[in-house]
Amino acid sequence: MADETDFYALLGVSRTATEDEIKKAYRARARELHPDANPDDPKAEERFKQVSVAYEILKDPEKKRIYDQYGIDGLRGGGGGGDPFAGFGGLGDIFEAFFGGNPFGGGGNGRGRAGGPPRGRDQEIVIDVDFAEAVFGTQKEVTIKVAVGCETCASSGAAPGTTAVSCSQCGGSGEVRMARQTLLGQMITASPCGRCAGTGRMVETPCLTCRGEGRRNENRTYTIDVPAGVDSGVRLRYPGRGGVGQRGGDPGDLFVALRVKDHPRFQRYGHDITELLEVPMTQAALGALLKYETLDGIEDLLIPAGTQTGKEFRLRGRGVPLPRGSGRGDLVVTALIVTPTRLSKDEDALLRQFAEARGEEVGPTDTSLMGKIRSAFR
């Protein structure tokens, strides 16, 4: 069976497959693996779910770009080895983490479960990353105000010496059920209990520290691992670092959106870094060996004699790291030949001597005469 983290292998297509090819492959695999078509195969449903997750990611251009560049860890917002599905109860939980919903039902992390404290809220922050930090990776410390469990009441919300009691409206289940008749027969719907907010418990004597919430706000500092090669718009996910839920509910997640600062010299195009380098006319004509500063340090850059504007010099492996440690892009330097605009008398004389040697006509030495010539053509 194909690796469940290799979405292309799950669909049976190459990494260069078009959108139509991906869609066609998914439809064929979905028909093949649908549980209704495989009633005797207990693993058919799981394979069907894997293929569905793969298609949901590859059909979305942005998620596909992130997956192609960073793999499954990029979609999870993590980095660095280990089981990329660690922390998830199953493919339904993975799908929920990516897209905000679980089309397969169930789930292993307790989100939206009935009969327990509600899960805490996710939190999101934006951090700025220098150009070089985004290329090589770095660590950043961030401080956020987040809900943490109340120590006074041990997150119960009840004053010390008291306990919460079962909700009289839902009987401690945290949900209320309603039956209604439809054309298809009786249908039963369940919804969180409004009296206890779905917790199943009521606090009669609230804790004075947290006012019955079982939590309080506090500043927390986290170290954020910024993977090498990230770009603006990448969103990192840190499970369990959001605010805790009311009265002992599970914590939400922390999402960190990255914003890469502009560099004064370099620009990024995919995995390549580019620069438009101004080269003096004399160096372009005669050639030069420059001490050129890259993100990796000072390197020699040879400018051949006769270099023209637009000439590209490619420094291999000095660009942005490729996904999964498979090398780096290039640093592409494009020459822009600069003509001097202000010349001293000696410089002017030397250039005129040079032009005379080449038989090239140039403007007169008398600048006032040159101005009269311009006026004549206006």
Side-chain angles (χ1 to χ4, degrees):
M1 186 178 67
D3 178 3
E4 67 176 17
T5 67
D6 187 340
F7 296 147
Y8 291 98
L10 286 171
L11 295 179
V13 297
S14 69
R15 301 186 74 87
T16 59
T18 65
E19 184 178 346
D20 288 340
E21 289 171 340
I22 291 173
K23 182 185 296 184
K24 184 177 180 180
Y26 166 68
R27 289 176 176 174
R29 292 287 286 161
R31 285 194 298 268
E32 174 189 350
L33 299 174
H34 197 282
D36 291 345
N38 300 271
D40 300 325
D41 186 354
K43 296 184 178 180
E45 181 178 2
E46 185 65 19
R47 292 198 298 269
F48 177 75
K49 292 176 181 179
Q50 292 173 357
V51 168
S52 298
V53 170
Y55 176 63
E56 287 298 330
I57 289 170
L58 295 184
K59 78 174 184 178
D60 184 296
E62 179 61 17
K63 292 185 178 69
K64 182 177 183 295
R65 181 189 70 80
I66 294 174
Y67 173 73
D68 288 343
Q69 187 168 353
Y70 305 108
I72 190 73
D73 284 338
L75 294 167
R76 288 187 60 218
D83 178 7
F85 290 158
F88 294 101
L91 283 215
D93 288 345
I94 298 169
F95 198 100
E96 180 182 8
F98 295 160
F99 311 111
N102 180 357
F104 307 133
N109 60 7
R111 297 183 186 183
R113 71 188 188 278
R119 177 180 179 273
R121 295 179 58 184
D122 293 335
Q123 293 193 236
E124 181 165 356
I125 60 172
V126 179
I127 62 173
D128 290 320
V129 180
D130 290 336
F131 189 91
E133 291 176 332
V135 171
F136 297 116
T138 188
Q139 288 186 328
K140 292 281 191 180
E141 281 197 348
V142 298
T143 300
I144 60 173
K145 181 168 284 188
V146 64
V148 299
C150 176
E151 296 178 356
T152 303
C153 63
S155 301
S156 69
T162 68
T163 59
V165 298
S166 294
C167 174
S168 59
Q169 183 167 328
C170 65
S173 68
E175 64 179 16
V176 292
R177 296 175 177 268
M178 297 182 61
R180 59 189 180 93
Q181 290 296 133
T182 70
L183 294 175
L184 300 177
Q186 188 182 62
M187 295 189 67
I188 298 178
T189 59
S191 59
C193 175
R195 180 176 176 81
C196 64
T199 65
R201 309 283 287 174
M202 295 292 296
V203 174
E204 295 180 337
T205 308
C207 169
L208 296 179
T209 301
C210 64
R211 299 180 181 180
E213 283 283 309
R215 58 186 177 177
R216 57 187 180 80
N217 290 329
E218 184 178 286
N219 287 333
R220 286 287 173 92
T221 299
Y222 297 120
T223 299
I224 302 301
D225 292 313
V226 179
V230 296
D231 202 355
S232 288
V234 169
R235 196 165 172 253
L236 307 177
R237 175 176 177 262
Y238 291 85
R241 293 191 180 180
V244 300
Q246 185 181 27
R247 299 175 193 168
D250 291 337
D253 299 335
L254 172 63
F255 292 89
V256 181
L258 303 182
R259 184 169 53 198
V260 180
K261 298 178 182 178
D262 291 335
H263 194 276
R265 291 172 47 209
F266 299 124
Q267 289 186 315
R268 175 176 174 174
Y269 289 93
H271 292 96
D272 288 340
I273 297 175
T274 66
E275 182 185 15
L276 191 62
L277 178 66
E278 294 186 349
V279 180
M281 177 188 68
T282 50
Q283 292 180 333
L286 302 175
L289 183 62
L290 305 181
K291 293 299 181 182
Y292 180 74
E293 185 177 359
T294 73
L295 293 177
D296 295 88
I298 302 295
E299 299 191 18
D300 290 334
L301 179 63
L302 177 63
I303 305 295
T307 293
Q308 303 294 313
T309 289
K311 170 70 175 178
E312 288 187 352
F313 304 94
R314 187 174 291 268
L315 302 182
R316 302 287 182 182
R318 293 294 180 263
V320 179
L322 299 170
R324 303 178 184 179
S326 55
R328 291 171 61 182
D330 300 331
L331 172 56
V332 182
V333 182
T334 303
L336 174 64
I337 311 306
V338 179
T339 302
T341 56
R342 294 183 180 181
L343 299 174
S344 67
K345 289 184 178 181
D346 290 341
E347 291 170 338
D348 184 274
L350 286 173
L351 279 179
R352 290 184 183 281
Q353 184 179 349
F354 175 74
E356 182 178 354
R358 292 176 59 87
E360 297 172 348
E361 293 187 6
V362 295
T365 305
D366 186 352
T367 55
S368 62
L369 176 60
M370 194 64 185
K372 294 178 181 178
I373 294 175
R374 289 198 194 96
S375 301
F377 287 95
R378 288 179 181 172

